[in-house]
Amino acid sequence: MQYENEFKQINQFINKSKNILIVPHIDPDPDALGASLSLVHSLNSINKNCFIGLQQELISKYEDIIKDKSILTYPENNTTSYDLIITVDIGEKNRVGKYIHLLDSQIPSVNIDHHIDNDHFADINIVDLNSSSTSEIVYNLIKFCQFKMIKEIAVALYIGIVYDTGSFRYSLTTKNTHKAVSELLEYDINTNEIYEYLFENLTLGAVKLRNMVTSTLELYHDGKIAITSMRKDFLILCNAQESDTTSLVKIGSSIKGVEFSIHINEKSEDLVKVSLRSKGITNVNQIAKLFGGGGHEKASGFVFNKSYDELKNKLLLNVINKYPFELETISK
């Protein structure tokens, strides 16, 4: 089994620990939440005192994934002395956020992830670039440690896997992914309900926001590159919430003939978040890394601490106009 030695070490850490903190990345998505929740249920079932450490309240779109809010903790009210920290779906140490001091302490740390740019910041690092999701890796860990599989764990893992595979459509969906899911489905999972919750649960504000963002669409190089933008006033204009923005990145990449897409999310006058998606040979992780970001070959992102107009100019001059790319010439 791949990562057998690492799984053994993690199991030893768990057995020696009483208080364990599971930390997903800032603004956790369903994969991070599913992996975290399944670990908490598994560890609490063997009499560990385990919590999920969040940076802030969950966005409303995903708050129902974790129904028992007593397993959540936050930096401002966290007084537990932990014996072990496990980070899930975090590629870089700084994304551990307000819990980063625990990585710098003497307690053991585990890093479970599948991002190509992971900087291996923990004592034990399981970074499986061929895994569909962090939830799939956690599934394998749970199986290795022989933790009892129950419906709550199966549902959490299924949510993470189905979300990060785009409902089993993305290229990292393998036969191992389907084998894992086939076992999870033995626990009477309502797959239709989960699909609707993750992918079709749109508010009226979300629909208006999608239409407004679609109106910003720009195509370059005979339709091979798409750019969409969400300006900082769009949420107010559409009476939408931040949680309504999660699928906007797919507007450009869903267009026939688009090879890769750029979605620009203007957060403030000097903060812009950029999401990159590729359907072809372009490795968007390489582009993101040049701007201080990262992710996967097909899906990456970065943060730009200047204005929307400055970012747009840089993208046009140093990315769009250099397609096919000479990436080494791009400077932040």
mmCIF file of all heavy atoms in Angstrom, residues 31 131-133 135-140 143 149-151 153-169 172-192 194:
data_model
loop_
_atom_site.group_PDB
_atom_site.id
_atom_site.type_symbol
_atom_site.label_atom_id
_atom_site.label_comp_id
_atom_site.label_asym_id
_atom_site.label_seq_id
_atom_site.Cartn_x
_atom_site.Cartn_y
_atom_site.Cartn_z
ATOM 1 N N ASP A 31 -14.471 19.393 0.369
ATOM 2 C CA ASP A 31 -13.442 18.356 0.511
ATOM 3 C C ASP A 31 -12.728 18.499 1.854
ATOM 4 O O ASP A 31 -12.559 17.523 2.587
ATOM 5 C CB ASP A 31 -12.437 18.440 -0.639
ATOM 6 C CG ASP A 31 -11.370 17.350 -0.549
ATOM 7 O OD1 ASP A 31 -11.670 16.269 -0.012
ATOM 8 O OD2 ASP A 31 -10.242 17.583 -1.026
ATOM 9 N N SER A 131 -4.244 11.525 -6.056
ATOM 10 C CA SER A 131 -5.522 11.315 -5.386
ATOM 11 C C SER A 131 -6.538 12.343 -5.861
ATOM 12 O O SER A 131 -6.212 13.514 -6.075
ATOM 13 C CB SER A 131 -5.357 11.417 -3.867
ATOM 14 O OG SER A 131 -6.582 11.204 -3.208
ATOM 15 N N SER A 132 -7.783 11.924 -5.985
ATOM 16 C CA SER A 132 -8.839 12.817 -6.457
ATOM 17 C C SER A 132 -9.126 13.926 -5.474
ATOM 18 O O SER A 132 -9.598 14.999 -5.847
ATOM 19 C CB SER A 132 -10.131 12.023 -6.679
ATOM 20 O OG SER A 132 -10.687 11.598 -5.427
ATOM 21 N N SER A 133 -8.845 13.686 -4.201
ATOM 22 C CA SER A 133 -9.263 14.591 -3.136
ATOM 23 C C SER A 133 -8.541 14.225 -1.859
ATOM 24 O O SER A 133 -8.011 13.114 -1.722
ATOM 25 C CB SER A 133 -10.775 14.474 -2.911
ATOM 26 O OG SER A 133 -11.106 13.110 -2.631
ATOM 27 N N SER A 135 -10.192 13.886 0.842
ATOM 28 C CA SER A 135 -11.118 12.925 1.440
ATOM 29 C C SER A 135 -10.807 11.491 1.014
ATOM 30 O O SER A 135 -10.969 10.552 1.807
ATOM 31 C CB SER A 135 -12.560 13.291 1.072
ATOM 32 O OG SER A 135 -12.951 14.502 1.676
ATOM 33 N N GLU A 136 -10.352 11.307 -0.220
ATOM 34 C CA GLU A 136 -9.984 9.957 -0.656
ATOM 35 C C GLU A 136 -8.767 9.454 0.112
ATOM 36 O O GLU A 136 -8.694 8.275 0.484
ATOM 37 C CB GLU A 136 -9.707 9.932 -2.155
ATOM 38 C CG GLU A 136 -9.413 8.526 -2.677
ATOM 39 C CD GLU A 136 -9.175 8.464 -4.181
ATOM 40 O OE1 GLU A 136 -9.627 9.381 -4.896
ATOM 41 O OE2 GLU A 136 -8.546 7.488 -4.634
ATOM 42 N N ILE A 137 -7.810 10.337 0.383
ATOM 43 C CA ILE A 137 -6.636 9.952 1.173
ATOM 44 C C ILE A 137 -7.060 9.577 2.589
ATOM 45 O O ILE A 137 -6.593 8.576 3.157
ATOM 46 C CB ILE A 137 -5.599 11.090 1.212
ATOM 47 C CG1 ILE A 137 -5.173 11.498 -0.200
ATOM 48 C CG2 ILE A 137 -4.370 10.667 2.028
ATOM 49 C CD1 ILE A 137 -4.306 12.745 -0.242
ATOM 50 N N VAL A 138 -7.948 10.388 3.173
ATOM 51 C CA VAL A 138 -8.434 10.109 4.531
ATOM 52 C C VAL A 138 -9.195 8.791 4.563
ATOM 53 O O VAL A 138 -9.089 8.024 5.534
ATOM 54 C CB VAL A 138 -9.304 11.274 5.046
ATOM 55 C CG1 VAL A 138 -10.011 10.899 6.337
ATOM 56 C CG2 VAL A 138 -8.439 12.508 5.254
ATOM 57 N N TYR A 139 -9.940 8.491 3.515
ATOM 58 C CA TYR A 139 -10.610 7.188 3.415
ATOM 59 C C TYR A 139 -9.589 6.061 3.550
ATOM 60 O O TYR A 139 -9.793 5.104 4.310
ATOM 61 C CB TYR A 139 -11.355 7.078 2.081
ATOM 62 C CG TYR A 139 -11.725 5.666 1.697
ATOM 63 C CD1 TYR A 139 -12.884 5.069 2.197
ATOM 64 C CD2 TYR A 139 -10.920 4.931 0.837
ATOM 65 C CE1 TYR A 139 -13.218 3.756 1.847
ATOM 66 C CE2 TYR A 139 -11.238 3.627 0.487
ATOM 67 C CZ TYR A 139 -12.389 3.040 0.994
ATOM 68 O OH TYR A 139 -12.700 1.744 0.653
ATOM 69 N N ASN A 140 -8.480 6.170 2.824
ATOM 70 C CA ASN A 140 -7.436 5.141 2.891
ATOM 71 C C ASN A 140 -6.799 5.064 4.272
ATOM 72 O O ASN A 140 -6.470 3.964 4.750
ATOM 73 C CB ASN A 140 -6.368 5.414 1.827
ATOM 74 C CG ASN A 140 -6.877 5.187 0.413
ATOM 75 O OD1 ASN A 140 -7.686 4.288 0.170
ATOM 76 N ND2 ASN A 140 -6.424 6.006 -0.528
ATOM 77 N N LYS A 143 -9.244 3.252 6.572
ATOM 78 C CA LYS A 143 -9.207 1.818 6.292
ATOM 79 C C LYS A 143 -7.940 1.185 6.879
ATOM 80 O O LYS A 143 -8.019 0.101 7.473
ATOM 81 C CB LYS A 143 -9.256 1.587 4.782
ATOM 82 C CG LYS A 143 -10.552 2.006 4.118
ATOM 83 C CD LYS A 143 -11.669 1.025 4.427
ATOM 84 C CE LYS A 143 -11.452 -0.291 3.693
ATOM 85 N NZ LYS A 143 -12.593 -1.231 3.918
ATOM 86 N N MET A 149 -16.216 2.007 10.060
ATOM 87 C CA MET A 149 -16.928 2.854 9.113
ATOM 88 C C MET A 149 -18.404 2.897 9.501
ATOM 89 O O MET A 149 -19.050 1.862 9.666
ATOM 90 C CB MET A 149 -16.773 2.327 7.693
ATOM 91 C CG MET A 149 -17.417 3.202 6.618
ATOM 92 S SD MET A 149 -16.616 4.822 6.444
ATOM 93 C CE MET A 149 -15.046 4.339 5.701
ATOM 94 N N ILE A 150 -18.928 4.082 9.689
ATOM 95 C CA ILE A 150 -20.344 4.271 9.982
ATOM 96 C C ILE A 150 -20.909 5.249 8.954
ATOM 97 O O ILE A 150 -20.161 5.876 8.197
ATOM 98 C CB ILE A 150 -20.581 4.791 11.418
ATOM 99 C CG1 ILE A 150 -19.857 6.139 11.611
ATOM 100 C CG2 ILE A 150 -20.135 3.766 12.440
ATOM 101 C CD1 ILE A 150 -20.137 6.785 12.962
ATOM 102 N N LYS A 151 -22.218 5.397 8.944
ATOM 103 C CA LYS A 151 -22.852 6.220 7.917
ATOM 104 C C LYS A 151 -22.354 7.659 7.951
ATOM 105 O O LYS A 151 -22.106 8.255 6.898
ATOM 106 C CB LYS A 151 -24.378 6.194 8.074
ATOM 107 C CG LYS A 151 -25.083 7.002 6.982
ATOM 108 C CD LYS A 151 -26.592 6.857 7.037
ATOM 109 C CE LYS A 151 -27.241 7.667 5.918
ATOM 110 N NZ LYS A 151 -28.709 7.518 5.879
ATOM 111 N N ILE A 153 -19.512 8.883 8.786
ATOM 112 C CA ILE A 153 -18.177 8.976 8.187
ATOM 113 C C ILE A 153 -18.267 8.788 6.678
ATOM 114 O O ILE A 153 -17.635 9.522 5.904
ATOM 115 C CB ILE A 153 -17.235 7.927 8.810
ATOM 116 C CG1 ILE A 153 -17.025 8.233 10.295
ATOM 117 C CG2 ILE A 153 -15.897 7.888 8.072
ATOM 118 C CD1 ILE A 153 -16.256 7.156 11.042
ATOM 119 N N ALA A 154 -19.058 7.810 6.248
ATOM 120 C CA ALA A 154 -19.207 7.548 4.813
ATOM 121 C C ALA A 154 -19.782 8.753 4.083
ATOM 122 O O ALA A 154 -19.314 9.122 2.994
ATOM 123 C CB ALA A 154 -20.099 6.319 4.605
ATOM 124 N N VAL A 155 -20.785 9.393 4.679
ATOM 125 C CA VAL A 155 -21.393 10.573 4.062
ATOM 126 C C VAL A 155 -20.381 11.706 3.953
ATOM 127 O O VAL A 155 -20.279 12.370 2.903
ATOM 128 C CB VAL A 155 -22.633 11.026 4.863
ATOM 129 C CG1 VAL A 155 -23.098 12.410 4.401
ATOM 130 C CG2 VAL A 155 -23.763 10.027 4.722
ATOM 131 N N ALA A 156 -19.622 11.942 5.020
ATOM 132 C CA ALA A 156 -18.624 13.016 5.002
ATOM 133 C C ALA A 156 -17.576 12.790 3.921
ATOM 134 O O ALA A 156 -17.216 13.715 3.170
ATOM 135 C CB ALA A 156 -17.955 13.124 6.378
ATOM 136 N N LEU A 157 -17.091 11.558 3.813
ATOM 137 C CA LEU A 157 -16.091 11.239 2.788
ATOM 138 C C LEU A 157 -16.679 11.363 1.388
ATOM 139 O O LEU A 157 -16.025 11.877 0.468
ATOM 140 C CB LEU A 157 -15.556 9.821 3.007
ATOM 141 C CG LEU A 157 -14.700 9.615 4.254
ATOM 142 C CD1 LEU A 157 -14.426 8.130 4.473
ATOM 143 C CD2 LEU A 157 -13.379 10.387 4.144
ATOM 144 N N TYR A 158 -17.911 10.907 1.209
ATOM 145 C CA TYR A 158 -18.560 11.001 -0.104
ATOM 146 C C TYR A 158 -18.717 12.457 -0.517
ATOM 147 O O TYR A 158 -18.458 12.814 -1.673
ATOM 148 C CB TYR A 158 -19.924 10.303 -0.069
ATOM 149 C CG TYR A 158 -20.631 10.337 -1.406
ATOM 150 C CD1 TYR A 158 -20.364 9.377 -2.377
ATOM 151 C CD2 TYR A 158 -21.554 11.339 -1.708
ATOM 152 C CE1 TYR A 158 -21.009 9.417 -3.614
ATOM 153 C CE2 TYR A 158 -22.193 11.380 -2.929
ATOM 154 C CZ TYR A 158 -21.921 10.422 -3.883
ATOM 155 O OH TYR A 158 -22.537 10.479 -5.111
ATOM 156 N N ILE A 159 -19.133 13.309 0.411
ATOM 157 C CA ILE A 159 -19.281 14.738 0.109
ATOM 158 C C ILE A 159 -17.957 15.316 -0.383
ATOM 159 O O ILE A 159 -17.914 16.041 -1.387
ATOM 160 C CB ILE A 159 -19.772 15.499 1.358
ATOM 161 C CG1 ILE A 159 -21.259 15.215 1.606
ATOM 162 C CG2 ILE A 159 -19.556 17.005 1.204
ATOM 163 C CD1 ILE A 159 -21.790 15.775 2.908
ATOM 164 N N GLY A 160 -16.865 14.998 0.318
ATOM 165 C CA GLY A 160 -15.559 15.523 -0.081
ATOM 166 C C GLY A 160 -15.128 15.040 -1.449
ATOM 167 O O GLY A 160 -14.629 15.809 -2.276
ATOM 168 N N ILE A 161 -15.325 13.747 -1.706
ATOM 169 C CA ILE A 161 -14.881 13.170 -2.973
ATOM 170 C C ILE A 161 -15.724 13.670 -4.139
ATOM 171 O O ILE A 161 -15.192 14.067 -5.186
ATOM 172 C CB ILE A 161 -14.911 11.628 -2.902
ATOM 173 C CG1 ILE A 161 -13.861 11.122 -1.908
ATOM 174 C CG2 ILE A 161 -14.663 11.020 -4.283
ATOM 175 C CD1 ILE A 161 -13.948 9.634 -1.611
ATOM 176 N N VAL A 162 -17.057 13.669 -3.970
ATOM 177 C CA VAL A 162 -17.912 14.078 -5.086
ATOM 178 C C VAL A 162 -17.700 15.556 -5.413
ATOM 179 O O VAL A 162 -17.762 15.966 -6.582
ATOM 180 C CB VAL A 162 -19.397 13.777 -4.785
ATOM 181 C CG1 VAL A 162 -19.995 14.749 -3.795
ATOM 182 C CG2 VAL A 162 -20.218 13.779 -6.079
ATOM 183 N N TYR A 163 -17.410 16.366 -4.397
ATOM 184 C CA TYR A 163 -17.174 17.796 -4.649
ATOM 185 C C TYR A 163 -15.863 18.010 -5.404
ATOM 186 O O TYR A 163 -15.838 18.711 -6.422
ATOM 187 C CB TYR A 163 -17.145 18.570 -3.336
ATOM 188 C CG TYR A 163 -16.833 20.042 -3.535
ATOM 189 C CD1 TYR A 163 -17.843 20.930 -3.890
ATOM 190 C CD2 TYR A 163 -15.539 20.543 -3.397
ATOM 191 C CE1 TYR A 163 -17.576 22.273 -4.103
ATOM 192 C CE2 TYR A 163 -15.260 21.886 -3.607
ATOM 193 C CZ TYR A 163 -16.275 22.745 -3.956
ATOM 194 O OH TYR A 163 -15.993 24.079 -4.170
ATOM 195 N N ASP A 164 -14.787 17.409 -4.926
ATOM 196 C CA ASP A 164 -13.481 17.692 -5.527
ATOM 197 C C ASP A 164 -13.275 17.011 -6.876
ATOM 198 O O ASP A 164 -12.347 17.357 -7.600
ATOM 199 C CB ASP A 164 -12.358 17.306 -4.560
ATOM 200 C CG ASP A 164 -11.511 18.506 -4.161
ATOM 201 O OD1 ASP A 164 -12.058 19.622 -4.107
ATOM 202 O OD2 ASP A 164 -10.297 18.333 -3.899
ATOM 203 N N THR A 165 -14.121 16.040 -7.193
ATOM 204 C CA THR A 165 -14.054 15.430 -8.522
ATOM 205 C C THR A 165 -15.050 16.063 -9.485
ATOM 206 O O THR A 165 -15.147 15.624 -10.638
ATOM 207 C CB THR A 165 -14.347 13.913 -8.448
ATOM 208 O OG1 THR A 165 -15.662 13.706 -7.909
ATOM 209 C CG2 THR A 165 -13.314 13.188 -7.595
ATOM 210 N N GLY A 166 -15.783 17.082 -9.035
ATOM 211 C CA GLY A 166 -16.817 17.667 -9.883
ATOM 212 C C GLY A 166 -17.859 16.642 -10.260
ATOM 213 O O GLY A 166 -18.278 16.553 -11.422
ATOM 214 N N SER A 167 -18.270 15.847 -9.264
ATOM 215 C CA SER A 167 -19.204 14.738 -9.481
ATOM 216 C C SER A 167 -18.600 13.713 -10.448
ATOM 217 O O SER A 167 -19.233 13.292 -11.422
ATOM 218 C CB SER A 167 -20.561 15.239 -10.001
ATOM 219 O OG SER A 167 -21.530 14.217 -9.915
ATOM 220 N N PHE A 168 -17.333 13.352 -10.169
ATOM 221 C CA PHE A 168 -16.604 12.281 -10.863
ATOM 222 C C PHE A 168 -16.279 12.621 -12.316
ATOM 223 O O PHE A 168 -16.157 11.731 -13.154
ATOM 224 C CB PHE A 168 -17.381 10.957 -10.783
ATOM 225 C CG PHE A 168 -17.835 10.631 -9.388
ATOM 226 C CD1 PHE A 168 -19.188 10.693 -9.061
ATOM 227 C CD2 PHE A 168 -16.932 10.289 -8.416
ATOM 228 C CE1 PHE A 168 -19.608 10.413 -7.772
ATOM 229 C CE2 PHE A 168 -17.344 10.015 -7.123
ATOM 230 C CZ PHE A 168 -18.688 10.074 -6.793
ATOM 231 N N ARG A 169 -16.095 13.914 -12.619
ATOM 232 C CA ARG A 169 -15.810 14.331 -13.995
ATOM 233 C C ARG A 169 -14.354 14.696 -14.223
ATOM 234 O O ARG A 169 -13.892 14.692 -15.364
ATOM 235 C CB ARG A 169 -16.690 15.535 -14.375
ATOM 236 C CG ARG A 169 -18.170 15.227 -14.462
ATOM 237 C CD ARG A 169 -18.988 16.445 -14.861
ATOM 238 N NE ARG A 169 -18.927 17.482 -13.837
ATOM 239 C CZ ARG A 169 -18.425 18.683 -14.010
ATOM 240 N NH1 ARG A 169 -17.907 19.022 -15.168
ATOM 241 N NH2 ARG A 169 -18.436 19.558 -13.030
ATOM 242 N N LEU A 172 -8.507 13.413 -12.260
ATOM 243 C CA LEU A 172 -7.928 12.617 -11.174
ATOM 244 C C LEU A 172 -8.935 11.639 -10.566
ATOM 245 O O LEU A 172 -8.639 10.997 -9.560
ATOM 246 C CB LEU A 172 -7.357 13.530 -10.087
ATOM 247 C CG LEU A 172 -6.043 14.228 -10.439
ATOM 248 C CD1 LEU A 172 -5.607 15.168 -9.337
ATOM 249 C CD2 LEU A 172 -4.943 13.214 -10.730
ATOM 250 N N THR A 173 -10.101 11.522 -11.173
ATOM 251 C CA THR A 173 -11.060 10.498 -10.762
ATOM 252 C C THR A 173 -10.601 9.168 -11.351
ATOM 253 O O THR A 173 -10.652 8.960 -12.558
ATOM 254 C CB THR A 173 -12.469 10.829 -11.274
ATOM 255 O OG1 THR A 173 -12.840 12.142 -10.854
ATOM 256 C CG2 THR A 173 -13.476 9.825 -10.744
ATOM 257 N N THR A 174 -10.108 8.263 -10.504
ATOM 258 C CA THR A 174 -9.502 7.012 -10.958
ATOM 259 C C THR A 174 -10.355 5.814 -10.544
ATOM 260 O O THR A 174 -11.378 5.947 -9.864
ATOM 261 C CB THR A 174 -8.106 6.850 -10.348
ATOM 262 O OG1 THR A 174 -8.244 6.696 -8.923
ATOM 263 C CG2 THR A 174 -7.239 8.070 -10.649
ATOM 264 N N LYS A 175 -9.905 4.639 -10.941
ATOM 265 C CA LYS A 175 -10.600 3.424 -10.520
ATOM 266 C C LYS A 175 -10.552 3.272 -9.005
ATOM 267 O O LYS A 175 -11.490 2.729 -8.395
ATOM 268 C CB LYS A 175 -9.997 2.198 -11.206
ATOM 269 C CG LYS A 175 -8.548 1.895 -10.838
ATOM 270 C CD LYS A 175 -8.057 0.656 -11.567
ATOM 271 C CE LYS A 175 -6.620 0.322 -11.175
ATOM 272 N NZ LYS A 175 -6.130 -0.891 -11.882
ATOM 273 N N ASN A 176 -9.475 3.778 -8.378
ATOM 274 C CA ASN A 176 -9.403 3.719 -6.912
ATOM 275 C C ASN A 176 -10.456 4.621 -6.270
ATOM 276 O O ASN A 176 -11.017 4.290 -5.224
ATOM 277 C CB ASN A 176 -8.010 4.122 -6.441
ATOM 278 C CG ASN A 176 -6.949 3.115 -6.841
ATOM 279 O OD1 ASN A 176 -7.224 1.919 -6.886
ATOM 280 N ND2 ASN A 176 -5.750 3.594 -7.142
ATOM 281 N N THR A 177 -10.704 5.767 -6.917
ATOM 282 C CA THR A 177 -11.767 6.658 -6.435
ATOM 283 C C THR A 177 -13.108 5.941 -6.465
ATOM 284 O O THR A 177 -13.868 5.963 -5.485
ATOM 285 C CB THR A 177 -11.844 7.923 -7.311
ATOM 286 O OG1 THR A 177 -10.553 8.531 -7.426
ATOM 287 C CG2 THR A 177 -12.827 8.927 -6.708
ATOM 288 N N HIS A 178 -13.400 5.288 -7.570
ATOM 289 C CA HIS A 178 -14.684 4.598 -7.716
ATOM 290 C C HIS A 178 -14.795 3.402 -6.759
ATOM 291 O O HIS A 178 -15.887 3.109 -6.254
ATOM 292 C CB HIS A 178 -14.889 4.158 -9.163
ATOM 293 C CG HIS A 178 -15.192 5.282 -10.102
ATOM 294 N ND1 HIS A 178 -16.366 5.999 -10.041
ATOM 295 C CD2 HIS A 178 -14.469 5.833 -11.116
ATOM 296 C CE1 HIS A 178 -16.364 6.935 -10.982
ATOM 297 N NE2 HIS A 178 -15.227 6.860 -11.641
ATOM 298 N N LYS A 179 -13.666 2.738 -6.506
ATOM 299 C CA LYS A 179 -13.683 1.632 -5.547
ATOM 300 C C LYS A 179 -14.029 2.145 -4.147
ATOM 301 O O LYS A 179 -14.813 1.523 -3.423
ATOM 302 C CB LYS A 179 -12.329 0.925 -5.526
ATOM 303 C CG LYS A 179 -12.069 0.025 -6.728
ATOM 304 C CD LYS A 179 -10.701 -0.631 -6.628
ATOM 305 C CE LYS A 179 -10.424 -1.524 -7.821
ATOM 306 N NZ LYS A 179 -9.067 -2.139 -7.748
ATOM 307 N N ALA A 180 -13.422 3.251 -3.778
ATOM 308 C CA ALA A 180 -13.708 3.837 -2.463
ATOM 309 C C ALA A 180 -15.171 4.232 -2.365
ATOM 310 O O ALA A 180 -15.862 3.922 -1.377
ATOM 311 C CB ALA A 180 -12.804 5.049 -2.225
ATOM 312 N N VAL A 181 -15.664 4.914 -3.394
ATOM 313 C CA VAL A 181 -17.051 5.373 -3.379
ATOM 314 C C VAL A 181 -18.022 4.198 -3.361
ATOM 315 O O VAL A 181 -19.071 4.252 -2.696
ATOM 316 C CB VAL A 181 -17.323 6.292 -4.593
ATOM 317 C CG1 VAL A 181 -18.806 6.558 -4.756
ATOM 318 C CG2 VAL A 181 -16.574 7.607 -4.424
ATOM 319 N N SER A 182 -17.676 3.119 -4.060
ATOM 320 C CA SER A 182 -18.581 1.954 -4.074
ATOM 321 C C SER A 182 -18.771 1.390 -2.675
ATOM 322 O O SER A 182 -19.867 0.927 -2.332
ATOM 323 C CB SER A 182 -18.043 0.869 -5.016
ATOM 324 O OG SER A 182 -16.859 0.289 -4.499
ATOM 325 N N GLU A 183 -17.723 1.433 -1.850
ATOM 326 C CA GLU A 183 -17.871 0.977 -0.465
ATOM 327 C C GLU A 183 -18.693 1.971 0.357
ATOM 328 O O GLU A 183 -19.558 1.589 1.154
ATOM 329 C CB GLU A 183 -16.518 0.777 0.207
ATOM 330 C CG GLU A 183 -16.672 0.344 1.665
ATOM 331 C CD GLU A 183 -15.347 0.109 2.367
ATOM 332 O OE1 GLU A 183 -14.371 -0.255 1.692
ATOM 333 O OE2 GLU A 183 -15.304 0.303 3.603
ATOM 334 N N LEU A 184 -18.438 3.260 0.142
ATOM 335 C CA LEU A 184 -19.183 4.275 0.889
ATOM 336 C C LEU A 184 -20.679 4.191 0.608
ATOM 337 O O LEU A 184 -21.508 4.419 1.492
ATOM 338 C CB LEU A 184 -18.658 5.672 0.533
ATOM 339 C CG LEU A 184 -17.184 5.948 0.860
ATOM 340 C CD1 LEU A 184 -16.790 7.342 0.402
ATOM 341 C CD2 LEU A 184 -16.893 5.781 2.340
ATOM 342 N N LEU A 185 -21.026 3.831 -0.623
ATOM 343 C CA LEU A 185 -22.438 3.772 -1.007
ATOM 344 C C LEU A 185 -23.180 2.621 -0.331
ATOM 345 O O LEU A 185 -24.415 2.566 -0.373
ATOM 346 C CB LEU A 185 -22.562 3.655 -2.527
ATOM 347 C CG LEU A 185 -22.164 4.906 -3.317
ATOM 348 C CD1 LEU A 185 -22.256 4.640 -4.818
ATOM 349 C CD2 LEU A 185 -23.038 6.092 -2.934
ATOM 350 N N GLU A 186 -22.448 1.722 0.294
ATOM 351 C CA GLU A 186 -23.090 0.646 1.041
ATOM 352 C C GLU A 186 -23.789 1.167 2.301
ATOM 353 O O GLU A 186 -24.551 0.438 2.939
ATOM 354 C CB GLU A 186 -22.061 -0.418 1.425
ATOM 355 C CG GLU A 186 -21.472 -1.162 0.227
ATOM 356 C CD GLU A 186 -20.407 -2.169 0.646
ATOM 357 O OE1 GLU A 186 -20.261 -2.373 1.877
ATOM 358 O OE2 GLU A 186 -19.746 -2.733 -0.234
ATOM 359 N N TYR A 187 -23.526 2.438 2.640
ATOM 360 C CA TYR A 187 -24.067 2.993 3.877
ATOM 361 C C TYR A 187 -25.286 3.881 3.625
ATOM 362 O O TYR A 187 -25.531 4.835 4.355
ATOM 363 C CB TYR A 187 -22.963 3.748 4.624
ATOM 364 C CG TYR A 187 -21.907 2.804 5.141
ATOM 365 C CD1 TYR A 187 -20.844 2.422 4.318
ATOM 366 C CD2 TYR A 187 -21.978 2.265 6.416
ATOM 367 C CE1 TYR A 187 -19.885 1.524 4.768
ATOM 368 C CE2 TYR A 187 -21.030 1.372 6.879
ATOM 369 C CZ TYR A 187 -19.986 0.999 6.047
ATOM 370 O OH TYR A 187 -19.040 0.103 6.504
ATOM 371 N N ASP A 188 -26.033 3.554 2.590
ATOM 372 C CA ASP A 188 -27.331 4.191 2.322
ATOM 373 C C ASP A 188 -27.213 5.716 2.213
ATOM 374 O O ASP A 188 -27.940 6.470 2.850
ATOM 375 C CB ASP A 188 -28.331 3.809 3.427
ATOM 376 C CG ASP A 188 -29.769 4.170 3.055
ATOM 377 O OD1 ASP A 188 -30.067 4.169 1.850
ATOM 378 O OD2 ASP A 188 -30.560 4.464 3.965
ATOM 379 N N ILE A 189 -26.274 6.163 1.385
ATOM 380 C CA ILE A 189 -26.063 7.593 1.156
ATOM 381 C C ILE A 189 -27.074 8.100 0.131
ATOM 382 O O ILE A 189 -27.280 7.480 -0.920
ATOM 383 C CB ILE A 189 -24.627 7.855 0.656
ATOM 384 C CG1 ILE A 189 -23.623 7.481 1.733
ATOM 385 C CG2 ILE A 189 -24.451 9.315 0.245
ATOM 386 C CD1 ILE A 189 -22.170 7.579 1.272
ATOM 387 N N ASN A 190 -27.697 9.220 0.415
ATOM 388 C CA ASN A 190 -28.630 9.838 -0.522
ATOM 389 C C ASN A 190 -27.821 10.695 -1.497
ATOM 390 O O ASN A 190 -27.609 11.890 -1.286
ATOM 391 C CB ASN A 190 -29.656 10.681 0.233
ATOM 392 C CG ASN A 190 -30.789 11.152 -0.673
ATOM 393 O OD1 ASN A 190 -30.610 11.335 -1.872
ATOM 394 N ND2 ASN A 190 -31.969 11.352 -0.092
ATOM 395 N N THR A 191 -27.372 10.090 -2.583
ATOM 396 C CA THR A 191 -26.472 10.760 -3.525
ATOM 397 C C THR A 191 -27.146 11.934 -4.226
ATOM 398 O O THR A 191 -26.503 12.952 -4.494
ATOM 399 C CB THR A 191 -25.947 9.768 -4.571
ATOM 400 O OG1 THR A 191 -27.052 9.169 -5.245
ATOM 401 C CG2 THR A 191 -25.121 8.677 -3.899
ATOM 402 N N ASN A 192 -28.429 11.788 -4.545
ATOM 403 C CA ASN A 192 -29.139 12.870 -5.226
ATOM 404 C C ASN A 192 -29.240 14.107 -4.338
ATOM 405 O O ASN A 192 -29.036 15.240 -4.792
ATOM 406 C CB ASN A 192 -30.536 12.411 -5.644
ATOM 407 C CG ASN A 192 -31.273 13.456 -6.467
ATOM 408 O OD1 ASN A 192 -30.798 13.858 -7.524
ATOM 409 N ND2 ASN A 192 -32.416 13.904 -5.969
ATOM 410 N N ILE A 194 -27.221 14.988 -1.930
ATOM 411 C CA ILE A 194 -25.896 15.592 -1.799
ATOM 412 C C ILE A 194 -25.527 16.363 -3.062
ATOM 413 O O ILE A 194 -24.996 17.475 -2.994
ATOM 414 C CB ILE A 194 -24.832 14.517 -1.484
ATOM 415 C CG1 ILE A 194 -25.055 13.990 -0.063
ATOM 416 C CG2 ILE A 194 -23.425 15.075 -1.638
ATOM 417 C CD1 ILE A 194 -24.178 12.806 0.304
#
